[in-house]
Amino acid sequence: MKRSWILAIIAANLAALITLVFLYPEAMISPGRLSPAHTDPPVACAACHLPFRGATAEKCMTCHAVATIGL
C-alpha cells in the first residue's frame, strides 16, 4: 500500500515535469538572463541552443566572431 502511494507521487511529479517542458520549453534552454549580445536575437533561441546540450561552438561562430564569443 505504501509503495503504491510513493509510485503514484513519483508518476504525478514526472507527468507535471513533462507537461512543464512542453508548455515552457524556453526554461529548459535558458539558464538565466541573456547577455547583452542576445537581447535582440535575429533567430529563435532553439535555432542554436538545444535542450540539455546547449549550443555548439560551430553554431556560435555562424553569428559571432571567435574573439567575441563569451563576452
Side-chain angles (χ1 to χ4, degrees):
M1 179 76 167
K2 185 175 183 179
R3 182 179 171 156
S4 64
W5 275 103
I6 292 172
L7 291 176
I9 291 171
I10 291 171
N13 283 322
L14 185 59
L17 180 63
I18 291 170
T19 301
L20 288 172
V21 166
F22 285 102
L23 290 176
Y24 304 103
E26 65 278 357
M28 297 300 296
I29 57 177
S30 177
R33 293 182 7 193
L34 293 175
S35 67
H38 292 102
T39 55
D40 189 23
V43 296
C45 297
C48 298
H49 297 267
L50 300 173
F52 305 110
R53 289 189 245 158
T56 63
E58 291 80 20
K59 290 282 189 177
C60 294
M61 290 185 294
T62 60
C63 299
H64 301 282
V66 175
T68 63
I69 294 175
L71 298 178

